[in-house]
Amino acid sequence: MTFRIAVAVAAFALIATPAFAGDPSGTWLRDTGASRVKIGPCGGGAYCGSLVWLKPGIETPAKVGQRIFYDMKPDGTDAWKGSAFNPEDGKTYAGKMSLSGSTLTTAGCAMGGMICKSTTWTRVN
């Protein structure tokens, strides 16, 4: 009888456990090959990301060391929401990230999320 109770408690614990997001920490190469961003924890359970490399010869207002993802907090399994800075126009947008294996998709959204522009990144480490 005790064994059955223990199994029932363990089964309930597995069902009641919330899904936790994966870890987007690491260095990511943009789908265009023009830049790399390093994402890591930045306090309060959030992730932030800064540019760590720009392809030589590409003209852009972006600068190495510039933070482009801020305060990205878990928003479901393998998903985060926060802010995304676009160096091209100098504006900050509502940001989203989603992780699928070694692919990270990021998006900056305006007008309450009605208009979003996404970018795909591939993990390089």
Side-chain angles (χ1 to χ4, degrees):
M1 182 77 100
T2 305
F3 177 73
R4 287 185 187 167
I5 293 172
V7 170
V9 169
F12 179 75
L14 289 174
I15 293 168
T17 302
F20 291 102
D23 186 355
S25 295
T27 302
W28 300 86
L29 176 66
R30 188 175 177 154
D31 55 4
T32 61
S35 60
R36 290 182 182 184
V37 65
K38 184 173 184 176
I39 296 176
C42 57
Y47 290 91
C48 295
S50 298
L51 291 170
V52 292
W53 178 83
L54 293 168
K55 186 174 184 177
I58 294 198
E59 291 186 36
T60 177
K63 294 181 177 25
V64 170
Q66 194 168 35
R67 186 171 280 187
I68 58 172
F69 300 112
Y70 295 85
D71 202 30
M72 301 297 276
K73 293 187 177 176
D75 184 48
T77 303
D78 296 334
W80 299 262
K81 281 187 178 178
S83 298
F85 175 73
N86 181 353
E88 300 297 321
D89 66 12
K91 295 181 180 178
T92 300
Y93 297 91
K96 298 190 246 181
M97 295 191 318
S98 61
L99 180 64
S100 178
S102 62
T103 301
L104 182 72
T105 302
T106 60
C109 301
M111 297 183 66
M114 292 178 61
I115 300 173
C116 297
K117 183 176 179 184
S118 64
T119 301
T120 303
W121 306 78
T122 303
R123 189 183 298 270
V124 293
N125 78 348

